Amino acid sequence: VGIGPNFAQGNRMPTLLMNYGVDEFSVCLQKPSGASGYLTWGPTEMKGAGKHEVATARVVGKHHWVTHLHNVSFRTKNSDMATIPCNSASGCAAIVDSGTSLIAAPGIALMQLSQQIPQIKEDCSNMHELPTLHFMIDGQPFELPPQAYVMRVTGATLEANDIWDVLFFKPKIRKLDMCMPAFMQMDMMSQFGPVWILGMPFFRYYHTTFDRKDAVMRFARAGPDCEPLPYLKNKTESLLAIDHSLDMKPMDVEVDAIVPPTLAGMIDFPYESKGELDL
């Protein structure tokens, strides 16, 4: 389909969306297991709201939907003494990608985050004890609840070594119906800093509009039917207050259906002084 901000690297053929003159489209995934997702062509109207009630992030990448990411933290008492990923002035690069199953991040950053939260129990029984993940996208606050970053492995295949290898928090024993963090390790540097990918878990909580013409992404809260809701009703409200009444259930993910980042084959570690990957 070709839903990047521009031509893909090494390709100058017009994409389907380019041929149809589509400069703006939106992606949203419903939260329940097996529920539908939506790719909407053209501008999205938010009922009862204007564009000022969405969070807007500048796109800095040429080939990917990339923006700036800062201060990724669980904001627990353990995080006060921990190193916060992406807390430098330059921060990190965040690729917003609906084609990646989980959240991808540098191994060092994932290790830092793991020191801020209790161990996730295999039977998901301590979901209510887990904190919310906070981060800044191009200077604006975002958050993801435990339901977004904890997955329960389902499916019938346990022998796919390449899939298990991309998971950062690898279980000692592979088995189904177990819970673990929904993070993939991807150690890669770019001209905008260490690369993160906000994959499908992000789209379950944020209705995301991609605007090629203005080179921006716009984020609204995703309603139960993927309708865009105001990003923030007031300054004291939690961004995801609408979801606080939901049961603390993890994402169900079929292990043999996990899609790793397409960039994973371009890993270059350790980092050099200059960016290795042109985003």
Side-chain angles (χ1 to χ4, degrees):
V1 177
I3 57 175
N6 210 321
F7 292 101
Q9 286 175 309
N11 178 33
R12 301 303 298 175
M13 292 292 293
T15 64
L16 178 63
L17 294 187
M18 288 179 179
N19 286 332
Y20 276 96
V22 177
D23 290 324
E24 186 173 337
F25 59 93
S26 301
V27 177
C28 181
L29 304 177
Q30 290 183 306
K31 298 178 184 66
S33 177
S36 300
Y38 299 92
L39 170 62
T40 306
W41 293 15
T44 300
E45 254 187 60
M46 188 188 309
K47 294 181 179 179
K51 288 189 176 181
H52 64 284
E53 291 194 88
V54 299
T56 300
R58 298 163 295 169
V59 175
V60 296
K62 293 185 297 183
H63 309 292
H64 302 275
W65 293 101
V66 184
T67 190
H68 297 291
L69 177 70
H70 287 86
N71 300 336
V72 185
S73 171
F74 285 107
R75 293 188 187 173
T76 62
K77 59 182 179 181
N78 292 336
S79 66
D80 293 340
M81 300 298 293
T83 302
I84 306 300
C86 309
N87 69 338
S88 65
S90 57
C92 298
I95 301 176
V96 183
D97 178 27
S98 61
T100 299
S101 295
L102 308 178
I103 297 172
I108 293 175
L110 294 177
M111 184 60 69
Q112 292 166 347
L113 289 177
S114 70
Q115 297 170 358
Q116 301 177 24
I117 61 171
Q119 184 175 359
I120 298 171
K121 295 184 178 180
E122 291 185 1
D123 61 0
C124 307
S125 60
N126 66 334
M127 288 279 292
H128 63 285
E129 299 174 358
L130 300 177
T132 297
L133 180 64
H134 298 266
F135 48 97
M136 304 287 289
I137 294 180
D138 202 18
Q140 301 185 74
F142 285 76
E143 60 185 49
L144 288 175
Q147 302 98 301
Y149 66 80
V150 176
M151 67 177 179
R152 179 167 49 207
V153 175
T154 64
T157 302
L158 292 177
E159 304 303 324
N161 290 321
D162 54 336
I163 295 301
W164 288 94
D165 286 346
V166 301
L167 299 178
F168 180 73
F169 300 94
K170 298 177 179 63
K172 294 180 180 179
I173 301 176
R174 298 180 187 181
K175 58 184 179 180
L176 299 179
D177 295 323
M178 66 181 299
C179 285
M180 65 182 70
F183 291 102
M184 297 175 172
Q185 180 176 352
M186 186 183 71
D187 294 298
M188 187 173 294
M189 180 61 82
S190 75
Q191 69 269 41
F192 306 111
V195 178
W196 291 58
I197 298 182
L198 301 177
M200 293 183 186
F202 183 83
F203 291 91
R204 290 186 174 93
Y205 287 86
Y206 293 100
H207 180 285
T208 304
T209 298
F210 301 90
D211 189 329
R212 281 179 166 147
K213 183 178 179 181
D214 294 335
V216 297
M217 293 179 282
R218 290 188 286 273
F219 307 100
R221 293 186 301 173
D225 296 317
C226 262
E227 70 276 17
L229 300 175
Y231 160 78
L232 189 60
K233 290 182 180 178
N234 58 66
K235 293 182 179 180
T236 60
E237 181 188 38
S238 170
L239 297 180
L240 300 177
I242 188 173
D243 294 307
H244 286 181
S245 62
L246 296 177
D247 292 335
M248 299 294 285
K249 295 181 180 179
M251 297 184 296
D252 286 333
V253 177
E254 292 190 17
V255 65
D256 51 353
I258 292 176
V259 179
T262 56
L263 299 177
M266 302 168 64
I267 288 177
D268 188 352
F269 185 85
Y271 301 149
E272 296 179 2
S273 59
K274 297 181 179 180
E276 290 89 355
L277 182 65
D278 183 13
L279 298 178

